[in-house]
Every structure is written in structure tokens, then in C-alpha cells.
Amino acid sequence: MADRILEVKDLRTRFHIAEGTVYAVNGISFHLEDGETIAIVGESGCGKSVTMLSILRLLPIPPAEITSGQALYLGRDLFRLSEREMEQIRGKEIAMVFQDPMTSLNPVLTIGRQIGETLRVHLGLDKEAIHQRAIGLLDQVGIPDPAHRLNDYPHQFSGGQRQRAMIAMALACLPSILIADEPTTALDVTIQAQIVELIQRLKEQLSMAVIWITHDLGVVAEMAERVLVMYAGFIVEEARVDELYEDPRHPYTMALLAALPRIDRRRDKHLRSIPGAPPNLLVAPKGCPFAPRCELAFDRCWDEMPPLFQLGPDRRAACWVDVTTGKPF
């Protein structure tokens, strides 16, 4: 059995804003094994990115507040470390590739300068060593003529190349965990496939664990071993990727899969949409957050949030209904 490299327990994150309190993450727990790839899926605003930013302590406090939970990295609770200790972990041991490289990269600094800063701070390399390492990193992520591209600025790179440069920065210190926050958003389909293939290849080469955040279930099928489905700040289902596609156990997961385009879908069978809208996160959660949009909901669903029932090894679902029969447990 692989070693457990990260374990998150009962994480709750709030945002205190003028309109009230945003209940962004509501008591989620999950783990990551060494060398494993997990995917966290769900629609925009469900808490995927906030969960990872909470773990890395990158949220501005205030307005953000982590009200409870633990994030155990190799047994150390990241929430109890000093900021100086966290600075040694961020980028060096746990790295993150953000969704939009154009806003993550500094537009007035060259790519070489930005990669070099990571190497200088975490590894203490001298100028020549940084230069050679930076060339090797850009070459590793597939950017042509890396020695010359080091002196270019982010606007001189295409969208796919900027994302590759971000991946190079994230991998500079050979992290144990790579968090990829929707890294293929806004890229065309061909470039998306290249980025997915690149991260898969680098994962194998560097033997690192990967947390892939996405709303695209098609990407999940290609690269993840386990999937966490999030809705309104809750984990509503967890399963191995093959089990999730073959036998979803939560109505929201079933609805997501029904809305996924498939080659084998009959031409006269339309894609299904999910009726209604996500809940208002300014309202304290009560009952199952998916109940207003769920065809199987009954009285208990409105009043009581179901726990994640253990349905098998690495198999959990938060639903009061047996979706295979449509009847309450």
C-alpha cells in the first residue's frame, strides 16, 4: 500500500464580505497517496480551487477564514506551521499550476527571471546553475529553443506555451505534490490534449502525486485514478474513475455524466441539462445542497445533510437515496 502523503480532515472555509458570510467549503475530508493522481470535479463555484488555496494558505485573511480542519502533509498539519515554514513548502514540496497563466505570470519580468526566482529561493543555486536549470526545465516541458526563450516576456508566448512555462516553474524544485487548477481552461482542444499528456508524462518521470481540478469529466477519464465530486462546498461522491463512470451513486454525478457528450450516444438522444441553479452560498447550508435540483429528493433531503456513506473501498456517496432503486435507504 502506498504511503499517504496528504490527508485533509473536516476543512471549512468561509469568506466574510459586506453581503454576509460565504460558506465556500463545508467540512470536506479526503486523502492523497504518494504517486497517485486524483481529480476534483464540479461546476464553477463549488469550492474546488478554494479547497486547494486553503491547504496552501494562499487565501487573503480577512476576508477568508479557515474555521476548522487539518491538512496533514507527511504528518505535519499545514495550518499549524509558521508562515516561514509554509514558504519552504509552497513551490518546493507542494506546487500549483494556476488556471490562467497570463494573470499568474508577472508581465514585466522575463520567463527566465521568474523560473530563476524559484530556484534561487528554494534551492540556493548560483546564477550559472539557475540559467542551465531553467533551460533544462523549458526543454523538459516542450518549449522550442529554450535558451533564447528565457529572455522573452509572457506576452511573447502563446497560451499553450505560457501554461508550459507555468508547469516548468511548478516543477523546478521537483515537488512531491503538483496541484493543477484547471490548467487547460481557455486552450483549444489540441493544446489541451498536449498539456494533459505533458503532465501525465512528467508525473511518471518525477514520481509525484497530482491533484487535478477540473469541471471536464472527459479529462478525468484519461488521467485520474480516483475522483472526488464536489457540489456547493461539499464532497458528494468519491470513487475510482472506472466505478464513477460505470456506476455513479449520487444524483449530481449522474446528472454530470448525462450532460457529457459521448461518441456512442444515439443521434436522436439529446444531452441532458441539470435543471435549476446552484445554491446561494451566502445562506448557511441546511440539508442536501442538491435537493432543489434533484429528481429523487424527499423530505429528509431538505432537512438533513447526508454523511458520506462508505459503499466500498475508496467508494463514498452522500445521498439518502439508493440511486440504483430510487428508494430511500
Side-chain angles (χ1 to χ4, degrees):
M1 183 176 175
D3 294 329
R4 187 164 292 187
I5 191 171
L6 178 69
E7 184 167 14
V8 176
K9 299 180 180 180
D10 193 34
L11 174 62
R12 298 174 189 270
T13 302
R14 309 283 183 256
F15 290 92
H16 304 290
I17 59 175
E19 293 82 0
T21 297
V22 178
Y23 295 86
V25 178
N26 300 303
I28 70 169
S29 301
F30 67 92
H31 67 273
L32 176 70
E33 306 290 351
D34 192 14
E36 181 186 29
T37 298
I38 66 171
I40 302 179
V41 303
E43 57 199 65
S44 297
C46 72
K48 306 184 300 294
S49 299
V50 171
T51 296
M52 294 304 121
L53 293 173
S54 298
I55 291 169
L56 288 175
R57 289 170 48 185
L58 288 173
L59 293 173
I61 298 177
E65 180 188 10
I66 298 172
T67 60
S68 75
Q70 293 179 298
L72 302 174
Y73 170 66
L74 296 176
R76 302 170 71 195
D77 188 354
L78 299 180
F79 298 151
R80 293 184 175 274
L81 300 183
S82 68
E83 181 57 30
R84 188 178 185 86
E85 289 172 315
M86 277 302 300
E87 287 173 356
Q88 293 302 309
I89 289 175
R90 290 192 210 106
K92 184 178 182 181
E93 298 183 51
I94 305 175
M96 189 164 180
V97 178
F98 295 94
Q99 186 173 140
D100 183 0
M102 201 56 193
T103 57
S104 303
L105 293 167
N106 191 323
V108 300
L109 297 179
T110 65
I111 292 295
R113 172 88 177 270
Q114 294 184 63
I115 295 175
E117 183 72 5
T118 300
L119 296 168
R120 183 185 64 79
V121 169
H122 288 299
L123 301 183
L125 300 182
D126 61 33
K127 188 173 181 180
E128 180 57 28
I130 287 173
H131 182 74
Q132 294 302 321
R133 174 75 174 139
I135 291 174
L137 285 164
L138 289 186
D139 182 60
Q140 190 175 23
V141 299
I143 291 182
D145 196 12
H148 289 92
R149 299 310 302 272
L150 280 180
N151 297 318
D152 287 345
Y153 292 86
H155 72 272
Q156 295 174 278
F157 287 70
S158 68
Q161 288 176 331
R162 283 195 292 268
Q163 198 57 282
R164 288 171 184 268
M166 281 293 298
I167 293 169
M169 290 175 62
L171 299 180
C173 300
L174 305 178
S176 301
I177 301 174
L178 176 68
I179 301 170
D181 186 1
E182 303 206 40
T184 59
T185 297
L187 302 177
D188 65 54
V189 176
T190 302
I191 303 301
Q192 285 183 20
Q194 292 175 4
I195 296 297
V196 170
E197 189 278 330
L198 171 64
I199 292 180
Q200 284 180 301
R201 176 168 54 82
L202 293 172
K203 171 192 180 298
E204 296 302 323
Q205 289 178 358
L206 303 176
S207 300
M208 63 184 174
V210 175
I211 300 175
W212 189 284
I213 302 171
T214 184
H215 60 267
D216 186 350
L217 281 166
V219 170
V220 170
E222 291 185 49
M223 63 181 310
E225 296 157 48
R226 233 172 0 104
V227 184
L228 307 176
V229 181
M230 285 191 69
Y231 186 79
F234 294 90
I235 292 175
V236 296
E237 184 164 5
E238 175 186 351
R240 298 198 67 79
V241 68
D242 54 341
E243 293 178 324
L244 189 88
Y245 279 84
E246 292 171 10
D247 185 25
R249 293 298 186 90
H250 192 280
Y252 178 58
T253 311
M254 296 170 70
L256 285 179
L257 290 171
L260 187 67
R262 295 173 56 131
I263 294 175
D264 60 354
R265 189 184 299 275
R266 283 171 36 192
R267 296 185 66 178
D268 61 343
K269 193 171 183 180
H270 298 293
L271 290 175
R272 293 185 59 188
S273 61
I274 304 175
N280 182 1
L281 297 182
L282 285 165
V283 179
K286 178 188 177 185
C288 175
F290 191 62
R293 308 173 74 182
C294 181
E295 298 174 353
L296 302 177
F298 68 110
D299 291 348
R300 190 176 189 181
C301 302
W302 296 88
D303 297 325
E304 190 178 350
M305 175 64 190
L308 276 165
F309 293 108
Q310 196 74 39
L311 305 178
D314 293 324
R315 193 79 208 264
R316 301 184 297 167
C319 187
W320 294 120
V321 177
D322 181 352
V323 297
T324 61
T325 64
K327 297 179 180 179
F329 285 114

